[in-house]
Amino acid sequence: MAYSDNFPLVEVPGAEGVTHIFCRSPGGGGDGWCHLVPGKDRALLIDTGFGIGDLKKLVSELTDLPVTVVNTHNHGDHIGGNPQFEEVYIHKEDAPFLYRAMEGPERKAPPESEREYKYSDADLVQPAPYKVVEIEDGYVFDLGGGYEVEVFHLPGHSAGGIGLLDKKRGFLFSGDALVWTPILIHWPIPDERYNEFLTVERFRDGLLRLEEHKNEVKRIYPGHSRLGLKNTLITDMRLCCEELLAGDLSVREFLPGAAGPLHIHGDAKIAFHESRIHTK
Ligand SMILES: [Zn+2]
């Protein structure tokens, strides 16, 4: 499949048997990535994209292994294809959002003239129930053959955001927590219960544990934009958080099209809001 074929999902072969699946945005946000990570006995599918196109079929063409599905966080550009699968793992703080998403509403494609690319109502994965398995920081997916993938809780962008470290390959799949584009910790909060997790302080705390494993990380594969980032981003991001926490709210850029002043340290960029720095 080629980009010009206008498919919503395009597989991109990565290093060491990993496949990255490019998920084209229907608009209103950036294109995203899912990642298919094979072990010896199982494969791990990290995120399910926008729910446009038959991800399950594509994955079955890419591996003969049974597939475990995990979401890096609950946002719609990462969970859209979940109803195609019987069971999905997610951090326990983000699980309630999956139950809500299962209930609807029914999805409909916008008028053809407003679509970013060619797809129809039939290509949309509709809300449906599936089993949710709640996991926590430190959980390990055992894919067989020494392929173990450890969960790191990285709240801030989402209450239950996680990174997934494939220890054998040294690949960190970082969702929207470590990205080349800015991490957004500035969105309005719809649900009071999750306020405590959506701060720079909580993000920093998660990064501190990840930083202890920094030398195990050879490359970082985020949920959007550039792939194969260097592990120095982990420390840049932690220091970016520390500066905000110390009261340095200096802004070098504004995020175009969104209400986000950016604090920058090295390669790390945080779109922040003053109310979302410290955990009360
Ligand atoms: Zn995203």
Side-chain angles (χ1 to χ4, degrees):
M1 285 193 271
Y3 190 82
S4 59
D5 288 337
N6 229 346
F7 285 101
L9 301 167
V10 183
E11 77 269 28
V12 179
E16 299 188 44
V18 171
T19 305
H20 311 288
I21 300 170
F22 184 66
C23 307
R24 294 187 62 196
S25 170
D31 299 321
W33 293 104
C34 310
H35 311 278
L36 183 63
V37 182
K40 183 172 160 284
D41 304 324
R42 295 196 76 78
L44 191 62
L45 175 64
I46 298 170
D47 286 335
T48 63
F50 295 91
I52 305 175
D54 196 342
L55 179 63
K56 190 175 187 182
K57 179 163 175 278
L58 176 59
V59 166
S60 73
E61 289 165 2
L62 293 170
T63 182
D64 293 328
L65 296 170
V67 175
T68 298
V69 181
V70 60
N71 295 143
T72 58
H73 60 295
N74 74 73
H75 295 161
D77 50 336
H78 300 262
I79 67 166
N82 282 6
Q84 284 201 295
F85 301 90
E86 280 170 25
E87 186 177 88
V88 177
Y89 288 68
I90 193 165
H91 190 277
K92 64 175 182 164
E93 295 300 339
D94 271 9
F97 296 90
L98 294 194
Y99 291 115
R100 217 173 292 165
M102 286 178 202
E103 288 167 11
E106 190 188 343
R107 302 176 68 199
K108 278 194 138 338
E112 204 163 345
S113 59
E114 291 172 26
R115 283 174 230 161
E116 297 275 317
Y117 55 94
K118 207 173 142 195
Y119 62 94
S120 69
D121 281 341
D123 294 316
L124 296 173
V125 177
Q126 293 299 340
Y130 51 87
K131 187 181 169 204
V132 175
V133 184
E134 300 183 17
I135 52 175
E136 296 184 55
D137 185 70
Y139 183 88
V140 175
F141 292 94
D142 183 355
L143 306 180
Y147 288 95
E148 293 189 339
V149 179
E150 181 173 348
V151 170
F152 289 81
H153 187 199
L154 298 172
H157 177 67
S158 157
I162 57 171
L164 293 142
L165 176 57
D166 175 338
K167 299 198 149 203
K168 190 158 179 165
R169 295 183 176 88
F171 293 173
L172 175 70
F173 301 92
S174 57
D176 289 4
L178 292 163
V179 277
W180 184 255
T181 51
I183 174 170
L184 311 178
I185 311 186
H186 76 302
W187 285 355
I189 307 160
D191 192 332
E192 283 283 314
R193 157 152 163 45
Y194 298 98
N195 278 8
E196 60 168 306
F197 291 102
L198 300 175
T199 64
V200 171
E201 187 174 347
R202 282 300 196 116
F203 185 36
R204 187 273 317 268
D205 293 346
L207 288 167
L208 279 172
R209 186 172 101 75
L210 180 61
E211 208 173 10
E212 290 169 16
H213 297 259
K214 184 177 161 184
N215 290 339
E216 297 170 51
V217 178
K218 287 192 214 139
R219 290 284 166 182
I220 300 172
Y221 294 94
H224 298 276
S225 184
R226 292 187 199 180
L227 299 178
L229 308 178
K230 290 183 193 156
N231 68 357
T232 49
L233 181 59
I234 298 169
T235 300
D236 279 356
M237 193 63 86
R238 205 251 311 154
L239 292 173
C240 199
C241 291
E242 302 285 11
E243 287 171 5
L244 287 167
L245 286 163
D248 174 5
L249 307 189
S250 60
V251 171
R252 292 227 308 267
E253 281 176 43
F254 280 84
L255 189 63
L262 296 186
H263 189 71
I264 299 177
H265 182 104
D267 288 334
K269 310 161 197 85
I270 298 176
F272 69 96
H273 188 276
E274 282 180 40
S275 69
R276 302 270 298 277
I277 308 264
H278 293 276
T279 303
K280 307 280 179 304

